[in-house]
Amino acid sequence: MRTRGSAALLVMLLLLTGLGPFATSASARSVHSTSEVDLFPHGNFAQPSAWTTTAQTSFTEAPATYTESMVADQRMTMVHRRDVHLDTITVWAGSSPTNSNYSIGAPDGASTWSTGPEIELTAFDVSGLTDYELVGIKMAAAIQIPNTLTEDTVRISVQHTDGFDLLKTFAHTQGNVDYINNSAFEVDLLDLMNWTWSDISNMVFTLDYVSAGGVDDSRLVVDALGLVITVRTPWYGGEVASASAVFQGHPVPMMAFNLSEGTTTNLAVTDCGLTPAVNGTTGHWESPAFTAPPEQTAGRVHVTMASGNLEDVVVEYATAGETGSFSAFTAMMPNTLLPDAERYMLKLSVTDACVGGVAMDVNDPTLSLTGRVFGNNDGLNASLSRWLVFVNDELVSNQPMSLGSFTHAWPIGEHLEPGATSVEVLVKAWFTWDSDGSASESALEITSIGVSGGFDIEWDEDPVCQNPGDQRLVEDGGGLILPLLRRCTDDRTAPEDLTVTFTNTNPSLLTVDLTQGDVRLAIAQEASGQAIVGMTVVDAAGNRWTDAFTVIVDAVDDPPAVTEFPGIVPVERDVNTTLNLTVEDLDSTSLTASTNRTWATVDLAAGTVSVTPPVVGFQSVLVSVCDQTTCSERTLDLEVLALADLRIESMDFGDSEMRHGEIISMRVLVRNDGHADATGVSVRCETEDQLLGVETIPVLRPGELGSVTCDWQIPPDAGVVRFIATVDRGLEIPEGDETNNMAEELVSIDRALVTDGAESSSGITQSTVLVLSIAVMTGLLALIGYLMPPKIKKIQ
């Protein structure tokens, strides 16, 4: 039950437009879509920063000592850890068998000293500890050895049920050993035996100053000797851990009814709400017909009481289809769901009470929770250790801290406020213990919290735009920009956020796209014709506006397209040079071409321009290409050069035979066939494997013939020798033709003549034979020269 005192609840209207319960008027809009909404996304614990965690001592704001609350690793964990609870008590010796009575009891400044006699202490009163478990035991001795021990020693020993143990020997000290004015001297005794409280009570400690003879080094002063005993003791306490998170930003699934609407009988609207007009009587209120939001289901009805109790109000409901009459009213059991129906009516019967408000949840909002309690729960009070879940500071469930896994789901519509846009979830864990002191660890772990029932409805209309209209363009005339989005309106989406797509029936004619909200038409090169452009404008919800317009591109006869020539083309005077020419005309196949120079011609079929310039210098040739209507012109810039052209005209070696060992002269004739002087003309003479020499002709004018001579001694092993002559081998002289600068010739070499001074048996001397041979050879050479003059082989 809720109690509200504000009169504003009497006129509570449905704050959410999409949740209006009264279907009394038609709307032009339609439901675009509905979707489920997670009302508590923090319940997956993916964002620990969304949660606020605390751990405190029960009923105080003091920080908890043994409890921790955290959200990490996608889970909520509230851990309670208690170590063993220990108390440490010191019991002092109660008697001395050696009558060292100043040393019994707690340290008080009175002491017994000795330089020889033993001091024994015993009778430890542990009667108050016998019910507890022994955890630790130490000897604590308040003693002093004032001076340095050089030869004497001090021993501390203990006698117990299992025998005798020497605990400590002091020897060769460096000065005053003072455990009276400082902390007592301690020795751990726990491992000496398995102790019983009787063993502990009856232990006898002996403190003995052992003199080596002669003058004593110092003395032993004993103020007190006790046992430091640690035991496990029972205890109790309580701590509470909590974790809370708030999700904001979405309306809760609640519908509020306006109590001033509908039909009332014997009920009046007062400051508190609806109350019977006559005390002690019953009044009735019937709501107008209402429906659940689109694609949602009706949940539970919640009545808020301004005064009185819920038992003073009877809630009934009636149902109907989309058309037709309502059923009879049926009593509604508390906290039950309305049945499925298209339309509903509610009826309230109020007796001696005041109803502050009526609401209905949608989709039965439910909090679901999954987790576990693990650990040992040792020492926890089962009735006082619990975990609780709150929604908007109202208790939803109170669960025991029982070990094991759990899954729960609770309806929470009664804890939600109509019109609210936030949901707060709070989890608390109470750890209350009444323990024997043993260690314990318990933890509440929650892996998911969800709040269902949230929904969202999208209402939308189609966007509306203005058609740009049909367009007429000219081939090669450029594109066009048409406004579109600035002339569009939509009920939910801004114009710049609308999405536009296009269709194009003739993509080879033009391309269409959107740029900065405008339609951009780009015409293809050398294209004409017609295209229909379709436009589709879509808003964020998918609603659309479609339309189309026509684009006509008129054809234009384009002039021939002639490519540019290179900047300056070098050519040689009086030498024909052919250059490439590229011409295109998509609109015509009959082209003509001409130039402004008689020595320049155009061959359109071959795509060339041929020039034979007669004058040295810079010359320009205007090339014109025309179709039936227009012409295109390009200028060809020429640099006309006059160049030398050197070549080997011939090589000769004289008229005599070439024999081994002889020195010959190789004569090379060089001619300049070009149009410019050649100066410093180098001529290289060589064989295949030997350089004969390099000679220079100072200058050769156009048409002039020059020569050089290279001498060479024929080696004795030469057979057939290839002689090579090369002019301008370093390409230092610019020439029109650099491929004719070398010539070569094969020559056969004879053996050298042999002379011994003897005559033959026929009386003819060797000299005579030699003269005759020379004569014969000369005749043969003359005959050969007459019939076939020698020919120089020129290597191109």
Side-chain angles (χ1 to χ4, degrees):
M1 179 186 74
R2 294 188 191 150
T3 301
R4 299 288 188 269
S6 174
L9 293 175
L10 297 174
V11 292
M12 182 179 296
L13 297 175
L14 181 64
L15 299 180
L16 304 177
T17 303
L19 300 180
F22 308 124
T24 59
S25 63
S27 175
R29 66 180 182 174
S30 60
V31 176
H32 174 64
S33 65
T34 61
S35 59
E36 295 183 2
V37 174
D38 185 358
L39 292 178
F40 196 69
H42 301 324
N44 61 10
F45 306 110
Q47 293 183 331
S49 59
W51 288 85
T52 300
T53 59
T54 63
Q56 297 173 330
T57 302
S58 299
F59 309 111
T60 72
E61 295 183 358
T65 304
Y66 309 102
T67 304
E68 181 181 6
S69 178
M70 70 186 78
V71 174
D73 299 328
Q74 296 185 332
R75 68 193 65 201
M76 174 197 298
T77 308
M78 298 178 181
V79 182
H80 176 71
R81 297 186 184 91
R82 300 188 316 277
D83 294 331
V84 177
H85 187 257
L86 303 176
D87 281 325
T88 300
I89 301 171
T90 303
V91 295
W92 301 96
S95 67
S96 172
T98 58
N99 294 319
S100 305
N101 295 327
Y102 289 114
S103 297
I104 63 175
D108 56 5
S111 59
T112 303
W113 64 271
S114 172
T115 58
E118 294 179 346
I119 299 174
E120 294 182 351
L121 298 169
T122 185
F124 299 94
D125 185 8
V126 293
S127 58
L129 304 176
T130 56
D131 292 335
Y132 305 128
E133 176 187 348
L134 178 68
V135 176
I137 181 170
K138 297 179 182 179
M139 179 205 74
I143 62 174
Q144 183 181 24
I145 306 172
N147 301 317
T148 301
L149 294 177
T150 56
E151 296 181 358
D152 299 343
T153 60
V154 173
R155 294 183 299 181
I156 303 176
S157 60
V158 62
Q159 182 178 355
H160 48 75
T161 306
D162 280 358
F164 174 87
D165 284 291
L166 177 63
L167 302 180
K168 176 66 177 178
T169 299
F170 294 93
H172 306 291
T173 60
Q174 301 300 313
N176 180 21
V177 176
D178 189 358
Y179 289 103
I180 292 179
N181 297 309
N182 299 312
S183 298
F185 173 71
E186 292 186 351
V187 177
D188 194 343
L189 308 177
L190 185 63
D191 296 331
L192 294 183
M193 62 173 291
N194 292 325
W195 296 102
T196 67
W197 291 113
S198 176
D199 296 332
I200 294 173
S201 175
N202 296 320
M203 278 192 294
V204 178
F205 289 89
T206 301
L207 297 92
D208 183 15
Y209 185 95
V210 181
S211 177
V215 179
D216 294 329
D217 294 333
S218 183
R219 61 178 178 172
L220 171 62
V221 180
V222 179
D223 188 353
L225 185 143
L227 297 177
V228 181
I229 299 174
T230 302
V231 293
R232 177 168 61 87
T233 56
W235 66 315
Y236 62 89
E239 293 180 342
V240 58
S242 68
S244 64
V246 178
F247 174 67
Q248 296 179 322
H250 197 278
V252 298
M254 297 292 293
M255 294 171 54
F257 295 89
N258 188 344
L259 298 182
S260 64
E261 298 180 355
T263 302
T264 60
T265 302
N266 193 33
L267 285 179
V269 177
T270 64
D271 290 341
C272 69
L274 283 178
T275 188
V278 179
N279 291 334
T281 61
T282 299
H284 305 281
W285 172 79
E286 293 182 8
S287 72
F290 64 93
T291 63
E295 301 181 18
Q296 313 303 315
T297 59
R300 307 170 197 269
V301 176
H302 307 285
V303 178
T304 302
M305 302 302 297
S307 65
N309 299 314
L310 281 176
E311 291 78 7
D312 300 325
V313 179
V314 176
V315 180
E316 299 174 274
Y317 67 90
T319 61
E322 292 185 3
T323 59
S325 60
F326 277 87
S327 66
F329 281 102
T330 302
M332 188 173 187
M333 300 301 294
N335 203 32
T336 58
L337 295 170
L338 286 170
D340 290 336
E342 295 295 331
R343 294 182 296 156
Y344 301 89
M345 289 181 64
L346 291 180
K347 179 179 179 181
L348 269 60
S349 300
V350 184
T351 304
D352 291 334
C354 186
V355 175
V358 179
M360 182 190 75
D361 63 51
V362 180
N363 297 331
D364 187 23
T366 301
L367 185 146
S368 57
L369 182 147
T370 301
R372 62 173 178 155
V373 176
F374 63 94
N376 51 41
N377 277 4
D378 289 347
L380 285 184
N381 186 306
S383 61
L384 300 179
S385 296
R386 310 184 68 83
W387 58 276
L388 297 80
V389 179
F390 299 82
V391 171
N392 296 335
D393 291 330
E394 296 183 6
L395 179 64
V396 175
S397 182
N398 184 338
Q399 298 292 322
M401 193 71 68
S402 301
L403 296 177
S405 300
F406 54 78
T407 298
H408 297 291
W410 303 289
I412 59 170
E414 62 179 314
H415 307 296
L416 301 179
E417 190 71 29
T421 57
S422 64
V423 176
E424 179 184 14
V425 175
L426 168 65
V427 178
K428 285 188 175 183
W430 292 80
F431 298 95
T432 304
W433 66 94
D434 186 2
S435 169
D436 64 358
S438 299
S440 177
E441 179 174 351
S442 302
L444 170 66
E445 177 185 89
I446 297 178
T447 55
S448 68
I449 299 176
V451 176
S452 64
F455 66 95
D456 191 26
I457 299 178
E458 293 189 30
W459 310 87
D460 197 16
E461 286 79 26
D462 292 334
V464 178
C465 301
Q466 181 178 341
N467 192 317
D470 296 340
Q471 307 295 322
R472 195 175 194 96
L473 305 175
V474 178
E475 178 187 348
D476 300 334
L480 189 64
I481 300 294
L482 303 173
L484 180 61
L485 290 185
R486 73 187 73 173
R487 297 179 178 178
C488 293
T489 58
D490 187 76
D491 61 325
R492 296 191 314 109
T493 305
E496 61 270 17
D497 295 329
L498 295 172
T499 302
V500 182
T501 58
F502 299 98
T503 60
N504 181 6
T505 61
N506 192 353
S508 62
L509 173 65
L510 55 83
T511 58
V512 187
D513 61 7
L514 189 73
T515 174
Q516 297 182 353
D518 297 331
V519 180
R520 178 170 59 184
L521 303 178
I523 304 173
Q525 292 293 327
E526 306 297 335
S528 60
Q530 177 177 307
I532 298 176
V533 177
M535 302 171 293
T536 301
V537 179
V538 183
D539 64 13
N543 297 292
R544 60 190 57 211
W545 169 87
T546 58
D547 208 339
F549 62 91
T550 302
V551 179
I552 298 175
V553 180
D554 295 327
V556 174
D557 186 11
D558 295 324
V562 182
T563 58
E564 294 284 352
F565 293 106
I568 296 178
V569 181
V571 297
E572 190 174 358
R573 191 191 74 178
D574 293 333
V575 175
N576 183 266
T577 302
T578 300
L579 305 173
N580 292 328
L581 175 68
T582 302
V583 179
E584 292 183 355
D585 193 338
L586 300 178
D587 300 325
S588 177
T589 58
S590 177
L591 300 176
T592 59
S594 61
T595 70
N596 63 342
R597 302 290 185 181
T598 58
W599 41 267
T601 60
V602 179
D603 186 348
L604 288 177
T608 60
V609 177
S610 298
V611 296
T612 309
V615 179
V616 174
F618 290 95
Q619 303 288 336
S620 295
V621 178
L622 183 65
V623 179
S624 301
V625 180
C626 304
D627 58 14
Q628 291 85 350
T629 59
T630 56
C631 294
S632 296
E633 296 180 340
R634 292 289 183 265
T635 299
L636 173 61
D637 293 320
L638 303 175
E639 181 183 5
V640 183
L641 305 173
L643 302 176
D645 186 9
L646 302 175
R647 65 181 177 85
I648 304 296
E649 185 164 288
S650 65
M651 293 187 296
D652 68 71
F653 305 92
D655 296 333
S656 61
E657 294 180 352
M658 289 187 282
R659 297 181 179 276
H660 296 156
E662 293 182 353
I663 296 176
I664 65 168
S665 294
M666 175 181 173
R667 184 166 177 262
V668 181
L669 300 180
V670 179
R671 186 178 297 277
N672 182 2
D673 289 334
H675 301 284
D677 294 347
T679 58
V681 179
S682 66
V683 181
R684 181 184 179 92
C685 306
E686 58 186 324
T687 63
E688 288 178 315
D689 54 5
Q690 185 176 358
L691 175 66
L692 306 185
V694 178
E695 303 294 337
T696 302
I697 301 174
V699 62
L700 280 178
R701 290 183 171 80
E704 191 175 45
L705 180 68
S707 66
V708 298
T709 301
C710 301
D711 296 330
W712 183 52
Q713 184 176 11
I714 300 173
D717 57 348
V720 176
V721 178
R722 184 188 301 274
F723 290 94
I724 303 171
T726 306
V727 62
D728 191 25
R729 187 172 185 268
L731 303 179
E732 298 174 352
I733 301 173
E735 299 183 59
D737 184 4
E738 297 283 1
T739 64
N740 58 358
N741 290 5
M742 185 176 69
E744 63 180 33
E745 184 173 347
L746 294 174
V747 178
S748 176
I749 306 300
D750 295 335
R751 293 182 179 181
L753 296 176
V754 179
T755 303
D756 56 7
E759 294 183 356
S760 66
S761 59
S762 61
I764 301 175
T765 66
Q766 187 175 7
S767 299
T768 302
V769 174
L770 177 60
V771 171
L772 291 175
S773 299
I774 292 173
V776 173
M777 292 298 296
T778 302
L780 290 174
L781 290 174
L783 180 60
I784 292 172
Y786 176 77
L787 296 176
M788 186 186 300
K791 196 171 186 181
I792 297 175
K793 181 179 179 182
K794 183 176 181 181
I795 298 177
Q796 299 295 331

